[in-house]
Amino acid sequence: MATIGVVGLGTMGLGIAQVFAAAGFTTITTDAHAPARDTARARMADALAARVTAGKLSEADRDATLSNLRAVETLSGFAPCDLVIEAIVERADAKQALFAQLETIVSATTILATNTSSIPVATIASTAQNPDRILALHFFNPPTAMKLVELAPHAGTSATALATARTLTEAAGKTVIQCPDRPGFIVNRCARPYYGEALALLEEGIPAAHIDAAMQAAGYRLGPFALIDLIGADINLAATLGLNAAMGNHPRYHAFAALRDQVAAGHLGRKSGQGFLFPAKTDPAPDPAIALRIEATLVNEAAWLLTEGGTSAQGIDTAMKLGLNFPRGPFEALSQHGKSAILATLAALESAAPPHLKTRYLPAPALEAL
Ligand SMILES: NC(=O)c1ccc[n+]([C@@H]2O[C@H](COP(=O)([O-])OP(=O)(O)OC[C@H]3O[C@@H](n4cnc5c(N)ncnc54)[C@H](O)[C@@H]3O)[C@@H](O)[C@H]2O)c1
């Protein structure tokens, strides 16, 4: 059985290590910060204990998982690994330096995967001796609970590395969706209109509670504002600004003033005690036109990504359902509403768009061609 390495034992790394250890893989881990290394086993044991108490895991399976975990002090302990996943600090130079060091230790066929959320895989691979073994395996938080993993090659990733990374990650129980090395991969990019279009409606004077009610009536578990309140307005703004910069400040990724104002006021959501809606609960009558408008922009963003290549409509739908708990993927929403309703909604929005949003609603070529 393959041996897996995980570097970085923070929020993501520890969870990723647990996923592979629980699937029976010997999992070698480390962290530059000694306490993170030294507490890894105890932290994983705590996470597993909660599942035993809840009756979701047997004591024997807990013990087997823990026995598959090794924490080593130096990277030299990673020599036996077939796949190493890094979940260290989100900085290109740190990830490049780590992979450069690993390349002197692991075998020529060992796959080096990054869990980056925002750095191009090509950038991380650009300084490698052997860039064809480098790819992204993007897990979601918490890795133990979230089924989805986005698999992103850069232009030089070998087909063998891609296939092996998929096989190993699927063997650990995940649903792997391939996507291009583009900003935000699938989920973090295609989710933007869910929040952005809600903020556009808010800017037009529609109350946040009405917008959330419309999306909940359309089957979404949480409305856009409840979701921002849950995740944090600061995290949402950072993700929007990151994508906005990476996509040339296109108005599709506009950072709305209302979101900036929330962050400036410290109204971050649940964690600060005050958000767009939190802690208030209201229940206005849902307006289906709001849901159609938000779904039209979700469809269009997904179609823009499809236009760029490297993924499929079915892959995007699966990723959006697993990554965000959406009741349907954007292309399923397209079938439900019909292409003419979506295109007409986008056309009406584009013609009414204020100057800062002009071109936001132009339909993707893939949408017109579908
Ligand atoms: N947190 C999320 O929701 C999430 C989701 C998907 C992807 N990611 C990505 O996963 C990566 C890790 O994120 P996180 O939230 O787990 O961070 P974290 O801060 O919780 O953990 C990072 C760990 O890496 C260690 N570390 C830093 N530099 C190191 C190095 N050079 N060598 C070894 N260890 C090092 C730190 O000591 C820390 O324990 C980032 O690239 C992030 O963008 C995060």
Side-chain angles (χ1 to χ4, degrees), residues 7-13 30-33 36 86-91 94-95 98 114-118 138-141:
V7 185
L9 286 165
T11 308
M12 297 304 292
T30 198
D31 194 292
H33 187 51
E86 72 75 19
I88 66 166
V89 62
E90 184 74 341
R91 267 195 6 239
K95 292 181 191 294
L98 171 66
T114 173
N115 187 47
T116 183
S117 300
S118 61
H138 185 239
F139 288 75
F140 289 75
N141 190 10

Side-chain angles (χ1 to χ4, degrees), residues 102-117:
L102 281 168
E103 281 196 299
T104 67
I105 294 164
V106 297
S107 87
T109 55
T110 300
I111 296 161
L112 300 180
T114 173
N115 187 47
T116 183
S117 300

Side-chain angles (χ1 to χ4, degrees), residues 15-358:
I16 294 168
Q18 185 177 320
V19 165
F20 283 97
F25 293 97
T26 297
T27 306
I28 299 173
T29 65
T30 198
D31 194 292
H33 187 51
R37 251 179 359 245
D38 298 343
T39 60
R41 176 171 298 275
R43 287 184 289 139
M44 195 182 290
D46 282 351
L48 293 167
R51 291 180 53 76
V52 172
T53 308
K56 291 183 176 155
L57 184 74
S58 72
E59 292 187 0
D61 285 345
R62 172 200 61 197
D63 295 345
T65 299
L66 288 171
S67 73
N68 288 330
L69 178 71
R70 315 245 186 293
V72 297
E73 266 186 47
T74 62
L75 289 176
S76 58
F78 281 65
C81 293
D82 300 287
L83 162 68
V84 180
I85 302 167
E86 72 75 19
I88 66 166
V89 62
E90 184 74 341
R91 267 195 6 239
D93 60 340
K95 292 181 191 294
Q96 288 170 338
L98 171 66
F99 282 175
Q101 219 184 327
L102 281 168
E103 281 196 299
T104 67
I105 294 164
V106 297
S107 87
T109 55
T110 300
I111 296 161
L112 300 180
T114 173
N115 187 47
T116 183
S117 300
S118 61
I119 304 167
V121 188
T123 303
I124 296 169
S126 64
T127 53
Q129 294 261 325
N130 193 358
D132 61 348
R133 56 156 94 205
I134 293 180
L135 46 79
L137 280 172
H138 185 239
F139 288 75
F140 289 75
N141 190 10
T144 47
M146 300 295 286
K147 274 288 243 188
L148 178 67
V149 177
E150 292 171 328
L151 170 65
H154 65 95
T157 305
S158 77
T160 315
L162 206 53
T164 308
R166 171 184 287 278
T167 304
L168 291 172
T169 311
E170 286 177 348
K174 296 301 178 192
T175 300
V176 177
I177 303 291
Q178 190 171 325
C179 61
D181 183 20
R182 297 281 300 146
F185 299 130
I186 297 174
V187 172
N188 286 343
R189 170 170 167 186
C190 293
R192 302 275 46 96
Y194 194 61
Y195 314 108
E197 206 48 31
L199 287 157
L201 281 153
L202 188 74
E203 197 168 75
E204 292 170 22
I206 314 292
H210 288 246
I211 299 164
D212 271 27
M215 297 318 286
Q216 281 189 286
Y220 292 78
R221 213 172 285 177
L222 287 177
F225 291 104
L227 208 48
I228 295 174
D229 286 349
L230 181 70
I231 296 164
D234 52 340
I235 304 285
N236 193 282
L237 179 61
T240 304
L241 291 173
L243 211 59
N244 187 295
M247 299 296 281
N249 302 314
H250 195 282
R252 291 207 311 277
Y253 315 100
H254 179 70
F256 283 87
L259 182 62
R260 292 178 185 273
D261 292 349
Q262 284 291 110
V263 176
H267 296 158
L268 306 180
R270 282 171 188 263
K271 63 186 172 189
S272 75
Q274 173 70 55
F276 279 106
L277 289 171
F278 185 83
K281 273 203 171 76
T282 53
D283 208 6
D287 174 358
I290 291 176
L292 172 61
R293 172 168 167 178
I294 292 179
E295 284 198 318
T297 59
L298 285 166
V299 167
N300 199 31
E301 189 62 39
W304 276 107
L305 178 60
L306 199 62
T307 303
E308 293 165 21
T311 191
S312 66
Q314 200 188 11
I316 294 174
D317 277 352
T318 303
M320 295 300 279
K321 286 187 283 185
L322 292 180
L324 288 161
N325 271 323
F326 276 7
R328 55 193 161 274
F331 295 100
E332 290 165 339
L334 175 63
S335 307
Q336 199 171 319
H337 294 295
K339 187 168 109 175
S340 57
I342 297 291
L343 285 172
T345 303
L346 292 171
L349 287 167
E350 184 60 34
S351 69
H356 64 290
L357 298 181
K358 274 285 174 228

